[in-house]
Amino acid sequence: MNDRSSRRWLGLASLALGLAMIIVDATIVNVAIPSIIADLRLQLTDAEWVNTVYSLVFAALLVTVGRLGDLYGRKRIYLLGLALFVAASLLAASAPTGSLLIAARALQGVGAAMILPSTLSSVNAMFRGRERAIAFGIWGSVIGGMAALGPLLGGWLTTDFSWRWAFYINLPIGLVAGTVALLTVPETRDTRAARGLDPIGIGTSALGFAALVFGLIEGERYGWWRPTETFRIGSWEWPLQAVSPVPVALALAALLLPVFVLLELRRVRNGQPVLLDLRLFRYRSFRWGNLAALIVSLGEFGIVFVLPLYLQAVLGYTAFQTGQILLAVALGAFLGGPTAANLAQRFGARQVVRAGMLLEAAGLLLLVPFLAPDTHGWRLAPALFVYGLGVGLATAQLTSVILAEVPTAQSGQASGTQSTTRQVGAALGIAILGTILAATLASGTEMRLIERLGLPAEQAATLARATKQSAGQILVQFRTQPGSEAIVRAIEDAFTEAARRTAIVAAAFIAVGFVASWLIPDIRPGEEPATGTAPKEAAAEARH
């Protein structure tokens, strides 16, 4: 291996380290929330915004920052993102109030949005042929594996040190990633792009995607139409009594995102700078790959949201114990990502994506019979390992397929687009699977309390509503109350039924993604257009 090749792989390591930092941070804070509430004396709504604001800002800016990387340099945007993320982490770790912590999390979201598409577009520009498949395998395994490691790391830091170390830990990681990247990652950009920004496109896309993700994430909490809980930001409260903020947010997204598309098309026709060149969707691999990624994300991220709730509520696990069980997903993903490169070389990336999706669906279905109130978490580990292996195979090569035909010069905006697709799919998956979980949990609890215990319908409905609103965590309270054993068993059985149904629906989503993957052209490593030339139909269209 020559010096130039060694520098590339060291550069990949620094990009993977920065990527790992932001992926872990999306989940590490979940287990620290109770400690944060106690230490800073937060209201529950403020505590929930600690998580929500990060996801909103992150999803809203991915397309914008991906394009900025194309224009001004992906390495530059990556390093700026690392600096901002580390500074925001320091601010969060030392925050004396909830308001300052929420502001710091918003800044972290900006930094994360700068880091993610920059890592992907840099990998796309730095590697070719078989090396490119290996690099994408490593990138994909980091995405899949680190998301599962977050709860374990967060549980350990919060239990043995302090919740503040969930943020302090980013300082040395960011410093190492930035130093190595500065020395090893080459600067790449789109030298042919028209200079200048697209402020209207930036505004409509950022607001549109933020409104969409907010509506999908918060629908179950605030009500899909009528308010079920008061929406607050600080001292400000949502003023409407008849309509919750969720349909307003979704309506705003339905207005702004089509406006964004129409504006971008008009700017392309007029030869003006654009945030997202929609002609990228002429590439079959980009078009159908993004569709498959959207559908698969519905199942992948939704089940990761549901399973920790079940482990902690029904099995009584701590956050750290839950993280230990989810470690099986991480191990599978870390094995699947690098293995995917060799398999893609032999069978083609599309076949590896399909195999990964099948393993994901199989892992979820294998999980169903082991979900029971008297089970042990380690009985779930083999199914979770199979699921993680599928995530590692599918994530890495699906990303490679999506970018295979895209000109390298435009890989920043393409990376931002595919990352946004995954974020929207994740939010939609959490919304759908979370709604299924909540509805099944409430109806199942109410039915069992009436049929088994003979409770009056009104009392059963009240307990079912409390169970739903706490996502089953009310079980912890009931277990401490003598004489509540029958109520506990009824809720445990209802939660088990809800978790099983959710896993089956998640597997069904992934199966639909498997069907969608048949629309993706088969491109083997080394066969993708090295110069990013357009396929014949796109080139013909571009001449008119």
Side-chain angles (χ1 to χ4, degrees), residues 331-376:
L331 292 174
F334 286 136
L335 176 63
T339 303
N342 291 327
L343 294 175
Q345 184 74 30
R346 184 173 180 181
F347 301 107
R350 183 177 62 175
Q351 304 300 335
V352 176
V353 169
R354 290 174 184 164
M357 291 178 181
L358 287 177
L359 286 173
E360 286 183 62
L364 290 174
L365 294 177
L366 286 172
L367 194 65
V368 171
F370 291 101
L371 291 173
D374 59 349
T375 194
H376 191 285

mmCIF file of all heavy atoms in Angstrom, residues 331-376:
data_model
loop_
_atom_site.group_PDB
_atom_site.id
_atom_site.type_symbol
_atom_site.label_atom_id
_atom_site.label_comp_id
_atom_site.label_asym_id
_atom_site.label_seq_id
_atom_site.Cartn_x
_atom_site.Cartn_y
_atom_site.Cartn_z
ATOM 1 N N LEU A 331 -23.065 -5.339 16.568
ATOM 2 C CA LEU A 331 -22.100 -6.356 16.124
ATOM 3 C C LEU A 331 -22.453 -6.862 14.732
ATOM 4 O O LEU A 331 -21.575 -7.051 13.874
ATOM 5 C CB LEU A 331 -22.064 -7.508 17.128
ATOM 6 C CG LEU A 331 -21.478 -7.175 18.510
ATOM 7 C CD1 LEU A 331 -21.630 -8.376 19.452
ATOM 8 C CD2 LEU A 331 -20.022 -6.763 18.391
ATOM 9 N N GLY A 332 -23.741 -7.113 14.497
ATOM 10 C CA GLY A 332 -24.164 -7.557 13.178
ATOM 11 C C GLY A 332 -23.877 -6.525 12.109
ATOM 12 O O GLY A 332 -23.401 -6.859 11.007
ATOM 13 N N ALA A 333 -24.139 -5.246 12.420
ATOM 14 C CA ALA A 333 -23.899 -4.175 11.442
ATOM 15 C C ALA A 333 -22.426 -4.013 11.153
ATOM 16 O O ALA A 333 -22.022 -3.815 9.991
ATOM 17 C CB ALA A 333 -24.489 -2.869 11.968
ATOM 18 N N PHE A 334 -21.581 -4.087 12.192
ATOM 19 C CA PHE A 334 -20.142 -3.942 11.989
ATOM 20 C C PHE A 334 -19.566 -5.102 11.173
ATOM 21 O O PHE A 334 -18.589 -4.933 10.445
ATOM 22 C CB PHE A 334 -19.419 -3.843 13.333
ATOM 23 C CG PHE A 334 -19.601 -2.525 14.019
ATOM 24 C CD1 PHE A 334 -19.878 -2.465 15.373
ATOM 25 C CD2 PHE A 334 -19.516 -1.333 13.313
ATOM 26 C CE1 PHE A 334 -20.055 -1.246 16.015
ATOM 27 C CE2 PHE A 334 -19.696 -0.111 13.943
ATOM 28 C CZ PHE A 334 -19.962 -0.064 15.297
ATOM 29 N N LEU A 335 -20.156 -6.279 11.288
ATOM 30 C CA LEU A 335 -19.720 -7.415 10.470
ATOM 31 C C LEU A 335 -20.254 -7.284 9.045
ATOM 32 O O LEU A 335 -19.533 -7.548 8.078
ATOM 33 C CB LEU A 335 -20.215 -8.727 11.097
ATOM 34 C CG LEU A 335 -19.918 -9.998 10.287
ATOM 35 C CD1 LEU A 335 -18.412 -10.214 10.160
ATOM 36 C CD2 LEU A 335 -20.570 -11.215 10.956
ATOM 37 N N GLY A 336 -21.502 -6.871 8.905
ATOM 38 C CA GLY A 336 -22.135 -6.827 7.584
ATOM 39 C C GLY A 336 -21.565 -5.771 6.667
ATOM 40 O O GLY A 336 -21.433 -5.999 5.462
ATOM 41 N N GLY A 337 -21.207 -4.589 7.216
ATOM 42 C CA GLY A 337 -20.730 -3.498 6.368
ATOM 43 C C GLY A 337 -19.500 -3.850 5.541
ATOM 44 O O GLY A 337 -19.528 -3.792 4.308
ATOM 45 N N PRO A 338 -18.385 -4.238 6.192
ATOM 46 C CA PRO A 338 -17.188 -4.599 5.415
ATOM 47 C C PRO A 338 -17.384 -5.840 4.549
ATOM 48 O O PRO A 338 -16.823 -5.942 3.460
ATOM 49 C CB PRO A 338 -16.134 -4.848 6.503
ATOM 50 C CG PRO A 338 -16.619 -4.073 7.694
ATOM 51 C CD PRO A 338 -18.109 -4.178 7.633
ATOM 52 N N THR A 339 -18.172 -6.809 5.037
ATOM 53 C CA THR A 339 -18.419 -8.023 4.243
ATOM 54 C C THR A 339 -19.160 -7.696 2.955
ATOM 55 O O THR A 339 -18.972 -8.367 1.924
ATOM 56 C CB THR A 339 -19.245 -9.026 5.074
ATOM 57 O OG1 THR A 339 -18.555 -9.318 6.281
ATOM 58 C CG2 THR A 339 -19.473 -10.320 4.306
ATOM 59 N N ALA A 340 -19.986 -6.666 2.994
ATOM 60 C CA ALA A 340 -20.796 -6.305 1.832
ATOM 61 C C ALA A 340 -19.946 -5.988 0.610
ATOM 62 O O ALA A 340 -20.356 -6.241 -0.526
ATOM 63 C CB ALA A 340 -21.685 -5.109 2.168
ATOM 64 N N ALA A 341 -18.747 -5.418 0.836
ATOM 65 C CA ALA A 341 -17.895 -5.036 -0.296
ATOM 66 C C ALA A 341 -17.490 -6.254 -1.115
ATOM 67 O O ALA A 341 -17.569 -6.252 -2.355
ATOM 68 C CB ALA A 341 -16.660 -4.295 0.216
ATOM 69 N N ASN A 342 -17.037 -7.323 -0.446
ATOM 70 C CA ASN A 342 -16.640 -8.535 -1.166
ATOM 71 C C ASN A 342 -17.825 -9.182 -1.865
ATOM 72 O O ASN A 342 -17.706 -9.669 -3.001
ATOM 73 C CB ASN A 342 -16.001 -9.529 -0.186
ATOM 74 C CG ASN A 342 -14.653 -9.065 0.324
ATOM 75 O OD1 ASN A 342 -13.906 -8.397 -0.392
ATOM 76 N ND2 ASN A 342 -14.343 -9.390 1.572
ATOM 77 N N LEU A 343 -18.961 -9.181 -1.198
ATOM 78 C CA LEU A 343 -20.149 -9.771 -1.813
ATOM 79 C C LEU A 343 -20.601 -8.961 -3.026
ATOM 80 O O LEU A 343 -21.030 -9.524 -4.038
ATOM 81 C CB LEU A 343 -21.280 -9.847 -0.786
ATOM 82 C CG LEU A 343 -21.047 -10.796 0.402
ATOM 83 C CD1 LEU A 343 -22.190 -10.686 1.400
ATOM 84 C CD2 LEU A 343 -20.901 -12.233 -0.090
ATOM 85 N N ALA A 344 -20.496 -7.629 -2.929
ATOM 86 C CA ALA A 344 -20.890 -6.778 -4.059
ATOM 87 C C ALA A 344 -19.975 -6.995 -5.251
ATOM 88 O O ALA A 344 -20.414 -6.957 -6.402
ATOM 89 C CB ALA A 344 -20.865 -5.311 -3.639
ATOM 90 N N GLN A 345 -18.698 -7.220 -4.989
ATOM 91 C CA GLN A 345 -17.742 -7.473 -6.066
ATOM 92 C C GLN A 345 -18.112 -8.749 -6.819
ATOM 93 O O GLN A 345 -17.978 -8.825 -8.043
ATOM 94 C CB GLN A 345 -16.331 -7.606 -5.480
ATOM 95 C CG GLN A 345 -15.229 -7.766 -6.512
ATOM 96 C CD GLN A 345 -14.932 -6.475 -7.241
ATOM 97 O OE1 GLN A 345 -15.097 -5.400 -6.678
ATOM 98 N NE2 GLN A 345 -14.494 -6.562 -8.481
ATOM 99 N N ARG A 346 -18.618 -9.720 -6.084
ATOM 100 C CA ARG A 346 -18.919 -11.022 -6.689
ATOM 101 C C ARG A 346 -20.316 -11.084 -7.289
ATOM 102 O O ARG A 346 -20.505 -11.642 -8.377
ATOM 103 C CB ARG A 346 -18.757 -12.104 -5.630
ATOM 104 C CG ARG A 346 -18.946 -13.514 -6.171
ATOM 105 C CD ARG A 346 -18.602 -14.546 -5.120
ATOM 106 N NE ARG A 346 -18.786 -15.898 -5.612
ATOM 107 C CZ ARG A 346 -18.585 -17.000 -4.889
ATOM 108 N NH1 ARG A 346 -18.160 -16.871 -3.632
ATOM 109 N NH2 ARG A 346 -18.781 -18.188 -5.401
ATOM 110 N N PHE A 347 -21.302 -10.506 -6.571
ATOM 111 C CA PHE A 347 -22.687 -10.680 -6.989
ATOM 112 C C PHE A 347 -23.354 -9.398 -7.466
ATOM 113 O O PHE A 347 -24.464 -9.452 -8.006
ATOM 114 C CB PHE A 347 -23.515 -11.257 -5.829
ATOM 115 C CG PHE A 347 -23.027 -12.580 -5.334
ATOM 116 C CD1 PHE A 347 -22.369 -12.683 -4.117
ATOM 117 C CD2 PHE A 347 -23.206 -13.731 -6.081
ATOM 118 C CE1 PHE A 347 -21.913 -13.902 -3.651
ATOM 119 C CE2 PHE A 347 -22.762 -14.960 -5.625
ATOM 120 C CZ PHE A 347 -22.100 -15.052 -4.405
ATOM 121 N N GLY A 348 -22.732 -8.243 -7.239
ATOM 122 C CA GLY A 348 -23.357 -6.978 -7.588
ATOM 123 C C GLY A 348 -23.999 -6.329 -6.372
ATOM 124 O O GLY A 348 -24.535 -7.010 -5.499
ATOM 125 N N ALA A 349 -23.931 -4.986 -6.322
ATOM 126 C CA ALA A 349 -24.434 -4.257 -5.151
ATOM 127 C C ALA A 349 -25.925 -4.474 -4.942
ATOM 128 O O ALA A 349 -26.402 -4.580 -3.810
ATOM 129 C CB ALA A 349 -24.119 -2.766 -5.302
ATOM 130 N N ARG A 350 -26.687 -4.529 -6.035
ATOM 131 C CA ARG A 350 -28.130 -4.688 -5.900
ATOM 132 C C ARG A 350 -28.486 -5.992 -5.200
ATOM 133 O O ARG A 350 -29.401 -6.030 -4.361
ATOM 134 C CB ARG A 350 -28.791 -4.628 -7.279
ATOM 135 C CG ARG A 350 -30.307 -4.715 -7.240
ATOM 136 C CD ARG A 350 -30.907 -4.578 -8.629
ATOM 137 N NE ARG A 350 -30.469 -5.648 -9.516
ATOM 138 C CZ ARG A 350 -30.915 -5.814 -10.759
ATOM 139 N NH1 ARG A 350 -31.786 -4.944 -11.254
ATOM 140 N NH2 ARG A 350 -30.489 -6.811 -11.514
ATOM 141 N N GLN A 351 -27.775 -7.065 -5.522
ATOM 142 C CA GLN A 351 -28.050 -8.350 -4.884
ATOM 143 C C GLN A 351 -27.723 -8.311 -3.392
ATOM 144 O O GLN A 351 -28.436 -8.910 -2.574
ATOM 145 C CB GLN A 351 -27.235 -9.461 -5.567
ATOM 146 C CG GLN A 351 -27.453 -9.577 -7.067
ATOM 147 C CD GLN A 351 -28.900 -9.865 -7.434
ATOM 148 O OE1 GLN A 351 -29.654 -10.416 -6.635
ATOM 149 N NE2 GLN A 351 -29.307 -9.474 -8.629
ATOM 150 N N VAL A 352 -26.664 -7.580 -3.029
ATOM 151 C CA VAL A 352 -26.285 -7.460 -1.619
ATOM 152 C C VAL A 352 -27.350 -6.663 -0.856
ATOM 153 O O VAL A 352 -27.703 -6.998 0.276
ATOM 154 C CB VAL A 352 -24.897 -6.807 -1.484
ATOM 155 C CG1 VAL A 352 -24.545 -6.596 -0.021
ATOM 156 C CG2 VAL A 352 -23.844 -7.671 -2.157
ATOM 157 N N VAL A 353 -27.848 -5.600 -1.484
ATOM 158 C CA VAL A 353 -28.922 -4.807 -0.869
ATOM 159 C C VAL A 353 -30.133 -5.694 -0.608
ATOM 160 O O VAL A 353 -30.728 -5.661 0.482
ATOM 161 C CB VAL A 353 -29.300 -3.615 -1.771
ATOM 162 C CG1 VAL A 353 -30.587 -2.953 -1.281
ATOM 163 C CG2 VAL A 353 -28.166 -2.595 -1.810
ATOM 164 N N ARG A 354 -30.496 -6.491 -1.580
ATOM 165 C CA ARG A 354 -31.663 -7.378 -1.410
ATOM 166 C C ARG A 354 -31.425 -8.394 -0.301
ATOM 167 O O ARG A 354 -32.321 -8.667 0.512
ATOM 168 C CB ARG A 354 -31.955 -8.100 -2.719
ATOM 169 C CG ARG A 354 -32.495 -7.199 -3.813
ATOM 170 C CD ARG A 354 -32.614 -7.974 -5.103
ATOM 171 N NE ARG A 354 -33.031 -7.121 -6.199
ATOM 172 C CZ ARG A 354 -32.928 -7.455 -7.480
ATOM 173 N NH1 ARG A 354 -32.431 -8.630 -7.822
ATOM 174 N NH2 ARG A 354 -33.331 -6.623 -8.422
ATOM 175 N N ALA A 355 -30.220 -8.980 -0.273
ATOM 176 C CA ALA A 355 -29.910 -9.951 0.780
ATOM 177 C C ALA A 355 -29.985 -9.293 2.152
ATOM 178 O O ALA A 355 -30.502 -9.886 3.120
ATOM 179 C CB ALA A 355 -28.516 -10.535 0.548
ATOM 180 N N GLY A 356 -29.482 -8.060 2.243
ATOM 181 C CA GLY A 356 -29.544 -7.347 3.513
ATOM 182 C C GLY A 356 -30.972 -7.098 3.958
ATOM 183 O O GLY A 356 -31.319 -7.280 5.136
ATOM 184 N N MET A 357 -31.824 -6.692 3.017
ATOM 185 C CA MET A 357 -33.227 -6.459 3.358
ATOM 186 C C MET A 357 -33.912 -7.738 3.820
ATOM 187 O O MET A 357 -34.711 -7.726 4.779
ATOM 188 C CB MET A 357 -33.966 -5.881 2.151
ATOM 189 C CG MET A 357 -33.559 -4.470 1.791
ATOM 190 S SD MET A 357 -34.464 -3.900 0.320
ATOM 191 C CE MET A 357 -33.759 -2.250 0.122
ATOM 192 N N LEU A 358 -33.623 -8.858 3.156
ATOM 193 C CA LEU A 358 -34.206 -10.131 3.567
ATOM 194 C C LEU A 358 -33.772 -10.509 4.974
ATOM 195 O O LEU A 358 -34.574 -11.002 5.785
ATOM 196 C CB LEU A 358 -33.823 -11.233 2.578
ATOM 197 C CG LEU A 358 -34.516 -11.192 1.211
ATOM 198 C CD1 LEU A 358 -33.984 -12.310 0.319
ATOM 199 C CD2 LEU A 358 -36.034 -11.332 1.375
ATOM 200 N N LEU A 359 -32.485 -10.274 5.300
ATOM 201 C CA LEU A 359 -31.995 -10.576 6.639
ATOM 202 C C LEU A 359 -32.641 -9.664 7.682
ATOM 203 O O LEU A 359 -32.966 -10.106 8.794
ATOM 204 C CB LEU A 359 -30.468 -10.440 6.691
ATOM 205 C CG LEU A 359 -29.663 -11.556 6.018
ATOM 206 C CD1 LEU A 359 -28.180 -11.210 6.000
ATOM 207 C CD2 LEU A 359 -29.886 -12.875 6.750
ATOM 208 N N GLU A 360 -32.819 -8.405 7.341
ATOM 209 C CA GLU A 360 -33.500 -7.486 8.258
ATOM 210 C C GLU A 360 -34.914 -7.977 8.572
ATOM 211 O O GLU A 360 -35.323 -8.046 9.740
ATOM 212 C CB GLU A 360 -33.569 -6.090 7.656
ATOM 213 C CG GLU A 360 -32.264 -5.327 7.644
ATOM 214 C CD GLU A 360 -32.446 -3.925 7.089
ATOM 215 O OE1 GLU A 360 -33.206 -3.152 7.703
ATOM 216 O OE2 GLU A 360 -31.842 -3.593 6.057
ATOM 217 N N ALA A 361 -35.669 -8.287 7.518
ATOM 218 C CA ALA A 361 -37.045 -8.757 7.714
ATOM 219 C C ALA A 361 -37.071 -10.069 8.486
ATOM 220 O O ALA A 361 -37.896 -10.266 9.390
ATOM 221 C CB ALA A 361 -37.735 -8.917 6.363
ATOM 222 N N ALA A 362 -36.133 -10.977 8.154
ATOM 223 C CA ALA A 362 -36.077 -12.266 8.844
ATOM 224 C C ALA A 362 -35.752 -12.069 10.321
ATOM 225 O O ALA A 362 -36.347 -12.725 11.202
ATOM 226 C CB ALA A 362 -35.030 -13.164 8.195
ATOM 227 N N GLY A 363 -34.813 -11.171 10.622
ATOM 228 C CA GLY A 363 -34.461 -10.906 12.015
ATOM 229 C C GLY A 363 -35.641 -10.391 12.817
ATOM 230 O O GLY A 363 -35.867 -10.813 13.962
ATOM 231 N N LEU A 364 -36.418 -9.501 12.219
ATOM 232 C CA LEU A 364 -37.594 -8.959 12.912
ATOM 233 C C LEU A 364 -38.649 -10.041 13.144
ATOM 234 O O LEU A 364 -39.267 -10.103 14.212
ATOM 235 C CB LEU A 364 -38.190 -7.807 12.108
ATOM 236 C CG LEU A 364 -37.346 -6.531 12.065
ATOM 237 C CD1 LEU A 364 -37.964 -5.514 11.118
ATOM 238 C CD2 LEU A 364 -37.194 -5.942 13.458
ATOM 239 N N LEU A 365 -38.858 -10.888 12.137
ATOM 240 C CA LEU A 365 -39.849 -11.963 12.298
ATOM 241 C C LEU A 365 -39.376 -13.010 13.302
ATOM 242 O O LEU A 365 -40.194 -13.571 14.052
ATOM 243 C CB LEU A 365 -40.135 -12.610 10.944
ATOM 244 C CG LEU A 365 -40.832 -11.697 9.913
ATOM 245 C CD1 LEU A 365 -40.998 -12.414 8.585
ATOM 246 C CD2 LEU A 365 -42.189 -11.218 10.434
ATOM 247 N N LEU A 366 -38.069 -13.275 13.346
ATOM 248 C CA LEU A 366 -37.526 -14.198 14.342
ATOM 249 C C LEU A 366 -37.677 -13.644 15.759
ATOM 250 O O LEU A 366 -37.766 -14.404 16.734
ATOM 251 C CB LEU A 366 -36.043 -14.472 14.057
ATOM 252 C CG LEU A 366 -35.721 -15.377 12.867
ATOM 253 C CD1 LEU A 366 -34.216 -15.381 12.612
ATOM 254 C CD2 LEU A 366 -36.208 -16.804 13.141
ATOM 255 N N LEU A 367 -37.714 -12.332 15.849
ATOM 256 C CA LEU A 367 -37.839 -11.676 17.147
ATOM 257 C C LEU A 367 -39.217 -11.893 17.775
ATOM 258 O O LEU A 367 -39.349 -11.992 19.002
ATOM 259 C CB LEU A 367 -37.581 -10.173 16.953
ATOM 260 C CG LEU A 367 -37.325 -9.291 18.161
ATOM 261 C CD1 LEU A 367 -36.021 -9.694 18.840
ATOM 262 C CD2 LEU A 367 -37.259 -7.833 17.724
ATOM 263 N N VAL A 368 -40.243 -11.977 16.922
ATOM 264 C CA VAL A 368 -41.638 -11.979 17.391
ATOM 265 C C VAL A 368 -41.932 -13.067 18.428
ATOM 266 O O VAL A 368 -42.468 -12.769 19.505
ATOM 267 C CB VAL A 368 -42.609 -12.075 16.190
ATOM 268 C CG1 VAL A 368 -44.031 -12.309 16.670
ATOM 269 C CG2 VAL A 368 -42.530 -10.800 15.359
ATOM 270 N N PRO A 369 -41.605 -14.343 18.179
ATOM 271 C CA PRO A 369 -41.976 -15.365 19.176
ATOM 272 C C PRO A 369 -41.226 -15.252 20.497
ATOM 273 O O PRO A 369 -41.658 -15.809 21.507
ATOM 274 C CB PRO A 369 -41.631 -16.686 18.465
ATOM 275 C CG PRO A 369 -40.641 -16.322 17.421
ATOM 276 C CD PRO A 369 -41.002 -14.949 16.976
ATOM 277 N N PHE A 370 -40.101 -14.538 20.521
ATOM 278 C CA PHE A 370 -39.318 -14.402 21.751
ATOM 279 C C PHE A 370 -39.733 -13.187 22.574
ATOM 280 O O PHE A 370 -39.226 -12.997 23.682
ATOM 281 C CB PHE A 370 -37.829 -14.316 21.417
ATOM 282 C CG PHE A 370 -37.260 -15.589 20.878
ATOM 283 C CD1 PHE A 370 -37.057 -15.751 19.514
ATOM 284 C CD2 PHE A 370 -36.957 -16.647 21.721
ATOM 285 C CE1 PHE A 370 -36.547 -16.926 19.002
ATOM 286 C CE2 PHE A 370 -36.440 -17.831 21.225
ATOM 287 C CZ PHE A 370 -36.236 -17.977 19.856
ATOM 288 N N LEU A 371 -40.619 -12.346 22.032
ATOM 289 C CA LEU A 371 -41.125 -11.208 22.798
ATOM 290 C C LEU A 371 -42.213 -11.716 23.748
ATOM 291 O O LEU A 371 -43.316 -12.052 23.329
ATOM 292 C CB LEU A 371 -41.690 -10.140 21.856
ATOM 293 C CG LEU A 371 -40.675 -9.398 20.990
ATOM 294 C CD1 LEU A 371 -41.382 -8.491 19.992
ATOM 295 C CD2 LEU A 371 -39.709 -8.582 21.839
ATOM 296 N N ALA A 372 -41.884 -11.800 25.026
ATOM 297 C CA ALA A 372 -42.819 -12.316 26.037
ATOM 298 C C ALA A 372 -42.427 -11.736 27.395
ATOM 299 O O ALA A 372 -41.246 -11.442 27.631
ATOM 300 C CB ALA A 372 -42.775 -13.840 26.084
ATOM 301 N N PRO A 373 -43.384 -11.566 28.297
ATOM 302 C CA PRO A 373 -43.061 -10.979 29.607
ATOM 303 C C PRO A 373 -42.057 -11.783 30.418
ATOM 304 O O PRO A 373 -41.358 -11.223 31.265
ATOM 305 C CB PRO A 373 -44.430 -10.944 30.313
ATOM 306 C CG PRO A 373 -45.428 -10.911 29.208
ATOM 307 C CD PRO A 373 -44.839 -11.740 28.121
ATOM 308 N N ASP A 374 -41.972 -13.106 30.182
ATOM 309 C CA ASP A 374 -41.061 -13.940 30.965
ATOM 310 C C ASP A 374 -39.779 -14.282 30.206
ATOM 311 O O ASP A 374 -39.020 -15.161 30.633
ATOM 312 C CB ASP A 374 -41.758 -15.234 31.385
ATOM 313 C CG ASP A 374 -42.241 -16.051 30.181
ATOM 314 O OD1 ASP A 374 -42.215 -15.511 29.045
ATOM 315 O OD2 ASP A 374 -42.649 -17.214 30.378
ATOM 316 N N THR A 375 -39.527 -13.609 29.102
ATOM 317 C CA THR A 375 -38.332 -13.907 28.318
ATOM 318 C C THR A 375 -37.114 -13.258 28.958
ATOM 319 O O THR A 375 -37.225 -12.439 29.878
ATOM 320 C CB THR A 375 -38.497 -13.417 26.869
ATOM 321 O OG1 THR A 375 -37.462 -13.998 26.059
ATOM 322 C CG2 THR A 375 -38.344 -11.893 26.793
ATOM 323 N N HIS A 376 -35.945 -13.613 28.466
ATOM 324 C CA HIS A 376 -34.696 -12.963 28.871
ATOM 325 C C HIS A 376 -34.150 -12.217 27.668
ATOM 326 O O HIS A 376 -34.251 -12.691 26.533
ATOM 327 C CB HIS A 376 -33.680 -13.999 29.366
ATOM 328 C CG HIS A 376 -32.485 -13.376 30.040
ATOM 329 N ND1 HIS A 376 -31.477 -12.744 29.353
ATOM 330 C CD2 HIS A 376 -32.167 -13.265 31.365
ATOM 331 C CE1 HIS A 376 -30.572 -12.281 30.207
ATOM 332 N NE2 HIS A 376 -30.972 -12.584 31.430
#
